[in-house]
């Protein structure tokens, strides 16, 4: 199975500065449950023009990606982004405008922003990434499948580096599921496996195979199903963290946030360690990512 | 017929284009001088239609090159536009 | 590739789609699903109400049409491949692309009064896969892509990579979208809608029209299909993706992303420009797109002959996330039948497109061994697939 290395991390999460702080919160089991508005804190090199009319989720995604972006050649750099909330508010706004204002008067600038892929597009355009540009959506597994696809793009030579990230924004149109609707973005810059540092490998995709949950020091699980998370915590002989209860619900980006938590925990210790990130959906679809330091 | 000033239209264009209002001069070309893209231009047309209750034809909308053109098209529709 | 399935404006099934394509039928027409009275143009590529009724008779109900379109096309494709939907001896994964997913449920929900639907299907993109996962036993990865209008080809690329790596035995790959009032309203405000007919590559083209539908392809290793007595319909010779990194709404003026994907596909498949018998174009019929696309294809496929190119969007409308997958299904039929669909609505070729050989409306009967099918869209993501005959290689 192909591997990739984590070159850099970019975070825009409520109440969390960097990966050290995130790991500290996780170890202490008192991570702040998200839900507050997150300031994009846009890096200076992005400039300012075009940001005012950009959707908040796109700004968060772009800022996290710009922080993670290691620079270097642009010709084969790619983006793989997971989200389920991007564009939802814009879609609803255009529907409302079409009903209330009449034909032709729904603001066209909102149109492209009403699709899932606008944050990934903004990252590609603003950072000049001309490699494959993927957006994944769906449930919590999308975030880990985005990483799986990113590892594949590097393994097949489609890309020399991938900014794999996820984002979520608050919207009154989201479906409540009992968790705090989190907003924020996180991005892992992935490099070929010969790069030093923390390595990622997709262990399993599909119906959950418990055999894929062995040989690890801990598990970070993203799932909207508290029952699944609690059953795993009870059954497994190592610590289990539940993303939605710890940091809030990120929708499709949940799996990506689980991976970022696993990367943060791996970075905590100096000795080699493996932490797993798992995303599992109510229909049973699961992805297991192995995160190891050496 | 609503009254509107050229200054207010410039402010509107500046907001849509994310430039300073003083950059939106009568001769400043949307595409070349202000770096506007086609989506921002059509956004301006829709905002004008919404606020002034006028309708621009596809040809009129496509023909707008700068704020001077825009004012001329609106005046051609019988709108009084102050300074 | 061992099976294909389609739900399109031509009705249920691949046969209905292919008959409409070679019959030269233009299937765009008045929108009836939602109220567009008062809109300056009122045409789209809408799946007829009787087709939706036929779907509902065969499938469990789902609030979202895309869930129904996708599962019907997938069941057809599995049937052709001879793979039982419920019994599972192989590892089977699902790779699907969409632009709007279940969001068009909001079209019905938002009106003058209270919300018109009882649940929040629109906010849960995963619901798109609900009916498929109910009808088909899926034990492998389930991945949903939403990279803009290249969605269908992105799904084919991911599915064929999963088959090649051995992650799955069988990949159900597809693309789907349903007609969206929001997209219609947005295209109206953009003034991008064709008033009467979509005329890709025509000097007088005025715009595009949204459409809808689902296309599905079943991918597996050829020897697996042959072992069941199923002859491969076609082969995925190569896939490639890139991004323009230029503008949200406009293709790069040089078509740089498209050119890069065509070169990569040819290199990976070990083919030359003259080996490509047909380019199944993106061809949306907008003034901005078609000239750029024709010039980019002419440049990327410069050889002894001008590249042979046509777009089926003049007949079907632009099915967005469904478009590339439906076009891949049409490409499979073109390979099978040795027949190239024409630019059915072409009246006067745009001189700007002189670098390509625009297929006349009647199409052509000729040997078709290799087809290139490309897709891109808002945001600048490009995804291209190169398809060959079933006995290729």
């Amino acid at each position: 199975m192909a591997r990739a290395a984590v070159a850099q991390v970019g975070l825009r999460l409520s109440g969390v500065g960097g990966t050290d702080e995130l790991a500290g919160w996780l170890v202490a089991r008192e991570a702040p449950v998200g839900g507050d508005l997150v300031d994009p804190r846009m890096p200076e090199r992005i400039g300012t023009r075009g940001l005012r009319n950009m959707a908040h989720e796109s700004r968060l995604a772009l800022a996290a990606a710009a922080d993670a972006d290691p620079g270097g050649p642009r010709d084969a750099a790619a983006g793989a982004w997971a989200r389920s909330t991007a564009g939802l508010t814009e879609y609803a706004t255009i529907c409302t405008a079409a009903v209330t204002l009449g034909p032709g008067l729904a603001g066209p600038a909102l149109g492209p922003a009403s699709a899932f892929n606008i944050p990934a597009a903004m990252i590609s355009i603003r950072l000049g990434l001309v490699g494959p540009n993927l957006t994944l959506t769906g449930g919590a597994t999308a975030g880990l499948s985005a990483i799986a696809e990113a590892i594949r793009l590097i393994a097949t030579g489609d890309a020399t580096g991938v900014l794999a990230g996820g984002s979520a924004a608050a919207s009154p149109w989201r479906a409540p599921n009992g968790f705090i609707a989190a907003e924020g973005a996180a991005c892992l810059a992935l490099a070929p496996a010969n790069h030093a540092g923390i390595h990622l490998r997709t262990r399993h995709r599909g119906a959950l195979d418990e055999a894929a949950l062995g040989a690890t020091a801990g598990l970070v699980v993203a799932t909207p199903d508290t029952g699944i998370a609690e059953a795993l915590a009870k059954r497994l002989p190592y610590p289990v963290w539940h993303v939605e209860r710890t940091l809030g619900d990120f929708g499709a980006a949940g799996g990506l946030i689980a991976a970022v938590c696993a990367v943060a925990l791996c970075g905590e210790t100096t000795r080699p360690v493996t932490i797993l990130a798992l995303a599992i959906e109510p229909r049973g679809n699961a992805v297991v990512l192995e995160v190891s330091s050496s | 017929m609503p009254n509107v000033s050229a200054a207010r239209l410039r402010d509107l264009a500046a907001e849509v284009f994310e430039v300073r209002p003083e950059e939106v001069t009568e001769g400043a070309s949307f595409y070349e001088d202000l770096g506007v893209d086609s989506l921002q231009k059509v956004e301006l047309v829709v905002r004008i239609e919404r606020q002034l209750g006028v309708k621009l034809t596809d040809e009129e909308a496509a023909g707008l090159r700068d704020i001077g053109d825009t004012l001329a098209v609106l005046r051609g529709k019988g709108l009084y536009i102050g300074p | 590739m061992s099976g294909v399935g389609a739900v399109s404006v031509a009705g249920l099934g691949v046969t209905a789609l292919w008959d409409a394509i070679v019959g030269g039928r233009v299937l765009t027409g008045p929108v009836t699903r939602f109220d567009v009275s008062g809109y300056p143009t009122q045409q789209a590529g809408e799946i007829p109400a009787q087709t939706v009724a036929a779907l509902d008779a065969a499938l469990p109900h789902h609030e979202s049409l895309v869930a129904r379109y996708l599962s019907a096309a997938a069941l057809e494709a599995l049937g052709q491949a001879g793979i039982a939907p419920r019994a599972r001896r192989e590892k089977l994964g699902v790779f699907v692309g969409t632009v709007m997913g279940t969001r068009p449920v909001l079209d019905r929900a938002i009106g003058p009064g209270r919300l018109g639907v009882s649940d929040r299907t629109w906010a849960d993109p995963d619901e798109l896969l609900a009916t498929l996962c109910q009808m088909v036993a899926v034990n492998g990865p389930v991945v949903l892509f939403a990279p803009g209008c290249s969605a269908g080809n992105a799904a084919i690329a991911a599915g064929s990579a999963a088959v090649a790596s051995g992650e799955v035995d069988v990949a159900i790959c597809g693309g789907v979208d349903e007609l969206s009032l929001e997209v219609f309203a947005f295209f109206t405000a953009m003034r991008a809608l064709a008033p009467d007919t979509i005329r890709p590559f025509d000097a007088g083209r005025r715009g595009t029209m949204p459409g809808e539908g689902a296309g599905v392809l079943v991918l597996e290793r050829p020897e697996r299909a042959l072992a069941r007595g199923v002859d491969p319909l076609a082969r995925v010779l190569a896939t490639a993706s890139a991004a323009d990194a230029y503008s949200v709404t406009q293709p790069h003026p040089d078509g740089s992303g498209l050119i890069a994907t065509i070169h990569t596909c040819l290199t990976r498949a070990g083919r030359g420009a003259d080996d490509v018998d047909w380019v199944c174009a993106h061809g949306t019929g907008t003034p901005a797109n078609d000239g750029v696309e024709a010039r980019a294809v002419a440049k990327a496929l410069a050889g002894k002959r001008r590249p042979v190119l046509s777009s089926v969007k003049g007949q079907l409308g632009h099915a967005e996330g469904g478009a590339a997958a439906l076009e891949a299904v049409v490409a499979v039929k073109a390979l099978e039948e040795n027949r190239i669909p024409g630019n059915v609505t072409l009246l006067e070729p745009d001189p700007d497109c002189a670098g390509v050989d625009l297929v006349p409306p009647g199409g052509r009967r000729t040997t078709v061994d290799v087809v290139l099918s490309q897709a891109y869209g808002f945001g600048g993501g490009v995804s291209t697939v190169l398809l060959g005959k079933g006995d290729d290689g």
Side-chain angles (χ1 to χ4, degrees):
Chain A
M1 264 294 204
R3 285 167 185 275
V6 178
Q8 222 150 291
V9 184
L11 293 184
R12 290 295 181 278
L13 296 175
S14 169
V16 177
T19 48
D20 291 353
E21 196 182 345
L22 177 59
W25 285 119
L26 291 169
V27 170
R29 299 244 165 214
E30 41 184 44
V33 171
D36 295 338
L37 286 180
V38 180
D39 180 355
R41 292 181 285 117
M42 193 64 72
E44 227 164 70
R45 68 187 173 101
I46 298 299
T48 54
R49 189 167 178 198
L51 296 182
R52 198 171 50 198
N53 292 326
M54 190 185 284
H56 185 57
E57 183 171 340
S58 290
R59 285 195 294 251
L60 293 172
L62 178 57
D67 270 7
D69 183 10
R74 309 277 81 180
D75 55 326
W81 212 263
R83 74 278 297 199
S84 47
T85 56
L88 186 54
T89 303
E90 288 79 3
Y91 193 105
T93 305
I94 291 181
C95 284
T96 310
V99 172
T100 55
L101 298 175
L105 294 178
L110 280 181
S114 68
F116 295 97
N117 70 320
I118 195 70
M122 285 301 169
I123 290 165
S124 157
I125 293 166
R126 289 288 186 142
L127 301 180
L129 308 180
V130 299
N133 190 252
L134 290 178
T135 292
L136 288 85
T137 186
T141 61
L144 284 180
S145 259
I147 293 178
E149 295 298 325
I151 296 171
R152 164 176 73 88
L153 290 173
I154 291 174
T156 55
D158 283 86
T160 50
V162 182
L163 294 178
S167 54
S171 165
W173 299 96
R174 277 169 78 167
N177 62 357
F179 297 104
I180 286 175
E183 78 165 29
C187 181
L188 299 173
L190 302 188
N194 57 10
H195 192 285
I198 292 170
H199 284 77
L200 308 181
R201 181 176 76 98
T202 308
R203 267 201 194 172
H204 175 81
R205 289 202 289 179
L208 183 62
D209 173 6
E210 295 258 341
L213 298 181
T216 181
L219 174 76
V220 187
V221 56
T223 180
D225 188 331
T226 307
I228 292 178
E230 281 173 356
L232 287 169
K234 207 176 223 174
R235 193 160 69 237
L236 296 170
Y238 45 73
V240 173
W241 288 268
H242 183 197
V243 168
E244 282 74 5
R245 211 157 68 181
T246 314
L247 295 164
D249 173 36
F250 288 85
L256 191 287
I257 300 294
V260 167
C261 289
V263 168
L265 288 164
C266 269
E268 258 294 276
T269 56
T270 47
R271 59 188 170 77
V273 64
T274 294
I275 305 278
L276 298 181
L278 164 71
I280 181 161
E281 294 167 3
R283 262 192 287 276
N285 183 36
V287 181
V288 182
L289 179 83
E290 179 184 290
V291 181
S292 318
S293 60
S294 49
Chain B
M1 194 63 68
N3 284 343
V4 64
S5 69
R8 225 187 88 200
L9 282 175
R10 270 193 205 97
D11 287 347
L12 179 64
E15 189 198 314
V16 172
F17 301 161
E18 297 196 30
V19 296
R20 283 175 286 116
E22 54 271 29
E23 291 179 70
V24 190
T25 59
E26 297 233 349
S29 142
F30 290 157
Y31 290 126
E32 287 84 18
D33 297 326
L34 299 179
V36 165
D37 67 27
S38 57
L39 188 66
Q40 289 171 308
K41 193 179 103 173
V42 74
E43 176 75 19
L44 175 66
V45 171
V46 168
R47 299 267 191 109
I48 288 172
E49 287 182 334
R50 263 197 233 163
Q51 297 197 4
L52 304 186
V54 291
K55 268 282 168 206
L56 272 66
T57 64
D58 288 353
E59 289 70 26
E60 286 167 341
L64 303 180
R65 289 173 314 256
D66 53 43
I67 201 76
D69 283 348
T70 313
L71 295 171
V73 165
L74 294 174
R75 286 181 177 128
K77 290 183 174 292
L79 260 72
Y80 172 77
I81 299 177
Chain C
M1 190 185 304
S2 52
V4 287
V7 174
S8 72
V9 60
L12 292 184
V14 173
T15 305
L17 172 64
W18 180 246
D19 287 351
I21 292 287
V22 296
R25 289 169 59 203
V26 175
L27 298 162
T28 54
V31 173
T32 63
R33 188 155 321 139
F34 35 75
D35 180 14
V36 289
S37 57
Y39 278 71
T41 74
Q42 306 175 359
Q43 313 252 322
E46 178 183 292
I47 292 181
Q50 64 266 31
T51 302
V52 176
L55 265 181
D56 286 345
L59 291 170
H61 182 77
H62 193 281
E63 186 67 52
S64 173
L65 274 172
V66 285
R68 288 177 262 165
Y69 293 166
L70 177 68
S71 53
L75 288 172
E76 181 188 9
L78 286 173
Q80 185 177 26
I83 296 171
R86 302 293 320 170
R88 191 60 52 239
R89 277 185 298 275
E90 59 284 281
K91 188 152 186 198
L92 179 143
V94 174
F95 303 83
V96 174
T98 185
V99 172
M100 286 304 179
T102 56
R103 283 187 183 164
V105 171
L106 268 175
D107 299 346
R108 295 192 290 284
I110 295 178
R114 291 161 54 100
L115 281 183
V117 295
S118 57
D119 61 25
R120 292 209 160 200
T121 312
W122 69 74
D124 189 357
D126 203 33
E127 276 295 309
L128 185 155
L129 301 160
T131 311
L132 173 63
C133 292
Q134 197 181 337
M135 306 291 285
V136 178
V138 181
N139 53 3
V142 179
V143 189
L144 185 56
F145 295 93
C149 291
S150 61
N153 279 349
I156 293 170
S160 56
V163 170
S165 73
E167 184 182 12
V168 298
D169 300 315
V170 174
I172 296 179
C173 301
V176 63
D177 259 304
E178 67 175 271
L179 204 59
S180 151
L181 177 58
E182 188 261 6
V183 170
F184 197 84
F186 157 50
F187 272 69
T188 300
M190 281 271 285
R191 299 169 188 259
L193 290 178
D196 52 354
T197 307
I198 309 172
R199 299 191 191 283
F201 307 105
D202 194 278
R205 65 183 181 272
R206 297 274 304 275
T208 194
M209 291 176 201
E212 59 178 338
V216 168
L217 306 92
V218 172
L219 303 185
E220 58 185 318
R221 286 179 184 276
E223 51 278 16
R224 266 197 111 261
L226 288 166
R228 285 197 314 278
V230 173
D231 287 328
L233 299 172
R235 294 197 184 205
V236 179
L237 301 177
T239 67
S241 317
D244 277 347
Y246 174 73
S247 153
V248 171
T249 54
Q250 305 276 323
H252 191 288
D254 301 331
S256 56
L258 175 56
I259 291 174
T261 61
I262 294 175
H263 284 157
T264 305
C265 276
L266 292 179
T267 307
R268 286 187 166 163
R271 309 286 164 131
D274 291 315
D275 295 330
V276 177
D277 297 303
W278 178 41
V279 178
C280 181
H282 186 59
T284 56
T286 60
N289 174 73
D290 296 2
V292 169
E293 182 175 7
R295 283 196 304 276
V297 168
K299 193 172 168 193
L301 291 180
K304 289 195 204 71
R305 56 173 179 176
R306 286 185 304 161
V308 176
L309 175 140
S310 52
S311 165
V312 297
K313 290 197 176 73
Q315 294 176 268
L316 305 178
H318 185 352
E320 298 166 36
L326 284 168
E327 284 156 19
V329 171
V330 169
V332 169
K333 292 302 290 180
L335 289 161
E336 212 173 33
E337 307 276 334
N338 288 309
R339 201 162 166 177
I340 299 178
N343 290 290
V344 168
T345 55
L346 189 66
L347 297 175
E348 191 198 337
D350 182 349
D352 209 20
C353 305
V356 295
D357 174 5
L358 290 173
V359 184
R364 277 186 200 144
R365 287 177 187 279
T366 177
T367 307
V368 184
D369 289 328
V370 175
V371 178
L372 185 81
S373 181
Q374 60 217 21
Y376 46 89
F378 281 172
V382 187
S383 194
T384 300
V385 299
L386 192 69
L387 303 173
K389 278 198 188 318
D391 53 7
D392 190 309

